[in-house]
Amino acid sequence: MLSCTLLVVFLAACARGAAGEAEAEGGKATPPCLNDCSGRGRCVNGICICEGEYAGEDCSTIIDRNVPDSFPSMTDAVAGWEEEGLSSTPRGASLKICIVTTEIAGPVSNGGIGTAYTTLAKSLAQAGHQVTVLFTKGSISMFGPFDDHVRSYGSLNITLVGLHRTGQRYIPRHLQASYEVYRYLLRNDFDVVHLHDYEGAGYYSLIAKDQGRPEMLTKIFVIGLHGPNLWAKAVGNLEQIDKIDDLEMDFMERRCVKLSDVVVSPSQYLLKWMGSEGWPINTRSLCQPNLLPYKDEKYAQGERGEKKMEAIRELVFFGRLETRKGIIAFCDAVDHILDNAADLGIVVGKGGLEKLIFLGRSALVDGIYGMHYVQKRAQRWDIPWKVISRMNSTEALGFLGEGGRLAVMPSRIENSPYTIYECAHARIPFIATSVGGIPDLVHHEDHGMALFEPGKEALVDKLVRVLREGIAPARPSIDAKENERVWVEWHQMLAEEHRRTVRALESKPAEEERDLPFVSVVMTHFNRGKLVAQAIESVELQDYPKSRYELIVMDDGSTDEQARRDLAAFEPSFRERGWKIVWGENCYLGCARNKAVGHARGKYILFMDDDNVAKPHEVRTFVRAMESSNADVLTSFVDFFWGSDKPVPKAGDRASYIFLGGSPDVGAFKNCYGDANCFVRVSSFKDIGGYTEDYGIGFEDWEMYANASLRGFKVDVLPDAVYHYRFTPNSMQKTTNFFQNRRRSLRPYLNSLPPELHDTILGAVFPRNEDGTIAAPTGLAAQGTSRFFGAARSDGTSVEEGGGIKKREGAAGEEVKDEL
């Protein structure tokens, strides 16, 4: 079933075009939807596109996702561990810990992610663990040289590493980062790896662990929930999802949550929200507040002294200047108070409300930069105002604590914001909306004083009362010192778990050759005598046991006599090994592959093109990944090469091109799945229905992958390049019609949707020129013009200088190409 995310994005992307077509047809009215979708979805061509938690013809049915009423805490886990005496690991056992984060204090101005992981790193290092922080933004620094921050963290016994960044223009930044994190973790030995959900940096590492990659099996992966991308953008900021990057990150984030060893959320709210939105519920999900970035005497600050009322002279919007943080409601409330100050009994000016402060970095508000939004709204204010955007957390709290200032946090949605946590412990007066995990951070007796319902009216009422009467600082609900103890003790639990995992892996018996699954390598051939010889040789050189695989070459009616003779020359050696060459009439790739499967004996099939070259470990690597992950279809990354000779070895192990994997959402717009070279489970392949058999049309592999993923089969990508892809002058994509190919890849989506939506979708992918002819895809669909978007054109030719690939001289003197 096609996901709601995909439908909403697809239809939003083509809404303008559809409106234009309706206009051209004389303004034909759009048919209404049953019960107007019950206010729980969008009406498109008479069809209700329901929001995530609703279903039915009119979106009136609530989907039961079996979300638990509550999730256990880390405190509960530690208490149970201690009570049952499960630990045999000595207290103080040192772990090698890597914290992977897009924010860290020092190089950049932090948000909540940076504060959480900076604090975690310091606490774990102080507890005696070996801590490395892998900063995914590389060696950039907004505040002084990066090396200065490396030395500063080094003094705390923390190793700060800037992630290698390749700068490949044709690979999306989030995919690059996740791949480089994977490569770093392969080369370095860690016991525990902490990552956050946002942007999915752990994606490739986690699918590699799911696929049994030995270097990953000994690592315990912990995903911290800080707020996924679409939750922040679509739900919080009300932004339209109009970039494939957003869909890709959503897929990566969901897989990270599903595949991680442990999920830790600072609030029950976010875990429940994810469950209600169809996210996989990880059975090892824990709820525990983030660590407070204060030590020793500052822990007790929230408990000291009487609650004293404080007069307020300045209102401080505290948080990022973005929609989800409530800046629109705040500005609306300021407008109302300034316009009606006399009637409300508010003094504006000296001795009353003297100033407005916006304390936070700018983001998008109503489609414009946050600072510009404030400038626009402030034009009618007759009171001084100021934006402060470059204070770190410590500086911001010091500023707020100078007296007479009220921190205002009117967020639309929240997980567990540090702004609340820190203000409560620092005894800074604040008010905040009672949304998400905010109430969990505030002492229950102070909810009435500090919290209010979201919206302009409630905010106005709260501000008016505070400006008239003053306010006392609300108390925190969390014992920060005890919270840190639990986090440190929990890592002792992880130390014991890691020790047992390593011991189990070391004692696992080696697999006998006879127990390995039998694999059939299927290679279709057409008029490529010289190239198929290289492909066959690469299969012969596989390091998988010779008795456990076979090769079937299906000649698809080659018309070149020399090519037929070249292939026929292999028949004697094939017979000796029990391999097959099958001669057939030309029926094109989908048909030829399906016919070859009828001759296969394997549990798995490796489909391989006759112009590509397998690396020696391809079959072995695919078998391990398939057996471990229980996938139905696996593709892989690729290494490019050019010319008719064998591929020239290149420096390094970085793949030429990487794919996202089996996201049906992204797969509607671009080829996120992989090349035709793939590894399939035979039983699943038959259930999928194999390849369709359209003659003279390509993208049969894209269609098969999309069909499988839409129907719930597990389609994944191996995050390693296990074969060489050859750019050739007469490839399938160069000799077929792009528009017919692309429509074929859309067929599974059209088959999954009501017929009324087909024209809308086809119109988005294939817009019309003024003369009625089909134009090239635009918008999201523009990334679907090639198998290797950004590295190859729609006709299959490679993009050279300026497109992400550069030329270099090969070992034999011929011109070859490699990625930047």
Side-chain angles (χ1 to χ4, degrees):
M1 187 66 180
L2 205 58
S3 77
C4 175
T5 300
L6 169 63
L7 283 171
V8 170
V9 174
F10 221 142
L11 297 167
C14 64
R16 184 178 300 174
E21 287 180 14
E23 224 174 80
E25 293 174 7
K28 186 168 63 176
T30 301
C33 283
L34 180 63
N35 296 330
D36 198 25
C37 302
S38 306
R40 296 167 170 174
R42 300 189 186 194
C43 182
V44 181
N45 289 355
I47 304 295
C48 284
I49 308 302
C50 304
E51 295 173 1
E53 64 268 37
Y54 301 104
E57 192 176 359
D58 62 349
C59 302
S60 59
T61 303
I62 299 176
I63 299 174
D64 182 8
R65 301 192 185 276
N66 297 316
V67 182
D69 292 333
S70 65
F71 292 84
S73 69
M74 190 182 290
T75 303
D76 296 334
V78 169
W81 180 64
E82 292 174 336
E83 288 174 7
E84 295 179 27
L86 296 178
S87 172
S88 59
T89 301
R91 284 292 187 268
S94 177
L95 287 166
K96 289 175 285 187
I97 298 174
C98 183
I99 298 175
V100 182
T101 176
T102 190
E103 294 180 0
I104 196 72
V108 294
S109 181
N110 274 346
I113 291 174
T115 303
Y117 285 117
T118 301
T119 309
L120 179 63
K122 292 178 179 179
S123 292
L124 293 177
Q126 191 175 46
H129 298 294
Q130 302 171 51
V131 180
T132 297
V133 173
L134 183 60
F135 181 47
T136 61
K137 284 189 169 67
S139 57
I140 68 167
S141 176
M142 298 168 57
F143 308 100
F146 187 77
D147 286 346
D148 288 353
H149 302 297
V150 172
R151 284 188 286 272
S152 176
Y153 275 98
S155 68
L156 301 173
N157 294 320
I158 298 170
T159 302
L160 174 62
V161 177
L163 181 69
H164 176 81
R165 298 174 70 84
T166 65
Q168 289 172 312
R169 291 187 295 275
Y170 59 93
I171 302 296
R173 176 182 52 80
H174 48 283
L175 292 181
Q176 281 190 55
S178 184
Y179 181 45
E180 293 303 325
V181 167
Y182 167 58
R183 295 180 72 251
Y184 179 83
L185 294 179
L186 280 178
R187 299 190 304 269
N188 293 274
D189 184 25
F190 294 106
D191 305 325
V192 177
V193 180
H194 282 277
L195 308 112
H196 50 75
D197 53 346
Y198 179 66
E199 293 191 348
Y203 172 68
Y204 288 126
S205 302
L206 284 163
I207 61 175
K209 181 170 183 175
D210 187 46
Q211 293 167 2
R213 182 76 190 233
E215 297 92 335
M216 296 295 152
L217 291 179
T218 58
K219 295 176 172 64
I220 298 174
F221 288 87
V222 181
I223 293 290
L225 301 186
H226 294 268
N229 182 56
L230 290 191
W231 171 81
K233 290 191 70 170
V235 182
N237 289 332
L238 305 177
E239 296 177 38
Q240 180 170 305
I241 303 305
D242 57 0
K243 294 182 177 62
I244 288 183
D245 289 0
D246 294 321
L247 294 182
E248 289 179 331
M249 280 187 274
D250 181 61
F251 180 75
M252 295 165 71
E253 292 166 352
R254 287 171 185 257
R255 289 300 303 280
C256 285
V257 168
K258 180 177 182 178
L259 295 176
S260 63
D261 297 295
V262 188
V263 172
V264 179
S265 173
S267 72
Q268 294 279 347
Y269 155 75
L270 194 54
L271 285 167
K272 291 179 181 178
W273 179 87
M274 286 177 163
S276 70
E277 290 295 311
W279 284 62
I281 298 175
N282 191 302
T283 56
R284 293 189 67 185
S285 295
L286 299 174
C287 183
Q288 190 71 20
N290 291 317
L291 293 169
L292 189 72
Y294 295 119
K295 299 294 178 189
D296 305 325
E297 74 280 354
K298 293 218 171 184
Y299 274 136
Q301 194 170 28
E303 303 169 3
R304 290 201 304 265
E306 297 293 326
K307 292 194 299 180
K308 295 181 180 178
M309 300 296 285
E310 184 173 338
I312 298 302
R313 299 289 177 259
E314 297 180 7
L315 300 181
V316 183
F317 178 88
F318 188 27
R320 275 191 304 277
L321 311 187
E322 64 177 343
T323 303
R324 79 178 179 96
K325 293 295 184 179
I327 192 169
I328 296 176
F330 179 78
C331 290
D332 288 345
V334 168
D335 284 348
H336 183 86
I337 290 172
L338 294 181
D339 289 345
N340 302 279
D343 295 337
L344 295 172
I346 301 298
V347 175
V348 177
K350 189 171 179 61
L353 176 57
E354 299 176 353
K355 196 173 186 179
L356 301 173
I357 304 291
F358 294 84
L359 183 56
R361 294 176 293 168
S362 283
L364 287 181
V365 184
D366 271 357
I368 64 175
Y369 197 51
M371 182 177 291
H372 298 157
Y373 178 84
V374 173
Q375 290 172 339
K376 179 180 176 182
R377 295 296 302 263
Q379 291 178 7
R380 60 192 300 262
W381 298 339
D382 56 355
I383 185 174
W385 62 274
K386 184 178 183 180
V387 174
I388 302 174
S389 60
R390 293 182 67 85
M391 282 187 179
N392 61 33
S393 176
T394 302
E395 292 168 338
L397 292 173
F399 173 80
L400 289 168
E402 290 175 358
R405 293 180 175 129
L406 176 73
V408 183
M409 294 159 278
S411 301
R412 298 184 67 255
I413 62 169
E414 279 293 3
N415 176 19
S416 183
Y418 263 105
T419 51
I420 305 292
Y421 199 1
E422 293 171 322
C423 283
H425 275 275
R427 305 293 281 154
I428 291 169
F430 71 90
I431 60 172
T433 44
S434 182
V435 298
I438 288 178
D440 300 338
L441 300 172
V442 180
H443 195 288
H444 67 92
E445 292 180 1
D446 295 341
H447 281 193
M449 174 179 63
L451 305 183
F452 60 94
E453 292 300 313
K456 169 192 165 184
E457 291 76 15
L459 176 56
V460 167
D461 291 345
K462 181 67 69 174
L463 287 174
V464 167
R465 181 174 178 179
V466 170
L467 290 170
R468 284 175 178 170
E469 303 172 5
I471 187 172
R475 293 165 293 173
S477 64
I478 298 166
D479 183 330
K481 191 171 185 178
E482 171 62 15
N483 187 36
E484 183 182 37
R485 184 196 71 80
V486 169
W487 272 92
V488 172
E489 286 295 303
W490 183 69
H491 279 80
Q492 291 300 136
M493 287 179 58
L494 294 186
E496 170 67 12
E497 180 177 333
H498 178 264
R499 192 171 70 90
R500 293 177 181 178
T501 299
V502 171
R503 191 167 58 219
L505 289 171
E506 289 175 344
S507 61
K508 184 178 180 181
E511 198 165 24
E512 297 288 340
E513 180 176 319
R514 64 176 179 272
D515 296 329
L516 293 172
F518 193 79
V519 176
S520 296
V521 180
V522 167
M523 184 187 302
T524 53
H525 170 255
F526 183 78
N527 288 348
R528 286 173 172 164
K530 180 179 178 181
L531 301 187
V532 76
Q534 296 176 23
I536 291 171
E537 180 186 25
S538 72
V539 176
E540 292 174 336
L541 295 175
Q542 290 298 298
D543 61 12
Y544 200 65
K546 305 301 182 186
S547 64
R548 305 308 298 158
Y549 74 99
E550 66 176 351
L551 172 61
I552 300 166
V553 177
M554 181 75 200
D555 183 81
D556 189 28
S558 290
T559 57
D560 183 282
E561 287 303 320
Q562 184 59 51
R564 292 176 66 88
R565 286 193 295 271
D566 289 342
L567 181 59
F570 286 96
E571 286 189 312
S573 62
F574 270 45
R575 280 193 295 269
E576 288 180 9
R577 298 192 60 165
W579 294 3
K580 297 184 183 75
I581 296 176
V582 182
W583 303 91
E585 296 181 357
N586 181 248
C587 65
Y588 242 65
L589 273 174
C591 171
R593 288 183 181 136
N594 288 340
K595 285 183 177 180
V597 171
H599 296 272
R601 298 182 290 128
K603 177 183 179 180
Y604 302 118
I605 290 177
L606 169 60
F607 286 110
M608 180 176 171
D609 284 347
D610 60 351
D611 57 342
N612 293 336
V613 175
K615 294 184 179 181
H617 58 279
E618 179 171 10
V619 171
R620 171 175 51 84
T621 306
F622 267 134
V623 166
R624 183 209 69 218
M626 188 71 87
E627 292 280 283
S628 178
S629 68
N630 200 33
D632 299 294
V633 180
L634 283 176
T635 62
S636 75
F637 296 170
V638 301
D639 275 334
F640 294 149
F641 75 114
W642 283 255
S644 58
D645 291 335
K646 296 178 185 179
V648 178
K650 65 173 188 176
D653 61 347
R654 187 174 289 108
S656 299
Y657 200 88
I658 67 178
F659 294 98
L660 171 69
S663 166
D665 285 9
V666 178
F669 302 104
K670 67 182 282 191
N671 174 29
C672 64
Y673 299 110
D675 180 41
N677 187 291
C678 67
F679 203 73
V680 300
R681 188 180 301 273
V682 171
S683 58
S684 301
F685 183 73
K686 293 177 179 178
D687 290 341
I688 292 166
Y691 295 97
T692 58
E693 299 185 357
D694 301 44
Y695 189 86
I697 304 175
F699 284 177
E700 75 292 330
D701 51 330
W702 187 345
E703 180 190 26
M704 190 270 282
Y705 301 146
N707 183 33
S709 61
L710 282 168
R711 292 172 55 192
F713 291 91
K714 186 174 181 179
V715 181
D716 243 334
V717 64
L718 188 75
D720 296 287
V722 291
Y723 75 102
H724 301 276
Y725 178 93
R726 187 196 312 264
F727 279 97
T728 57
N730 59 343
S731 69
M732 180 72 69
Q733 203 167 347
K734 297 184 183 74
T735 58
T736 53
N737 181 280
F738 164 73
F739 296 104
Q740 290 180 336
N741 294 346
R742 185 66 177 95
R743 177 158 181 153
R744 185 180 191 177
S745 70
L746 283 173
R747 187 156 53 190
Y749 297 92
L750 298 176
N751 291 341
S752 301
L753 292 170
E756 295 88 341
L757 294 179
H758 290 192
D759 287 343
T760 303
I761 290 174
L762 290 171
V765 178
F766 305 124
R768 297 278 180 175
N769 293 312
E770 291 184 2
D771 62 2
T773 57
I774 296 176
T778 59
L780 295 177
Q783 293 195 32
T785 58
S786 171
R787 185 182 303 278
F788 306 107
F789 177 74
R793 302 181 181 89
S794 60
D795 64 358
T797 57
S798 65
V799 177
E800 298 180 359
E801 286 85 0
I805 297 175
K806 67 178 181 180
K807 298 179 181 179
R808 63 176 172 82
E809 291 301 313
E814 74 167 306
E815 191 176 72
V816 296
K817 306 180 183 75
D818 199 358
E819 77 277 4
L820 286 171

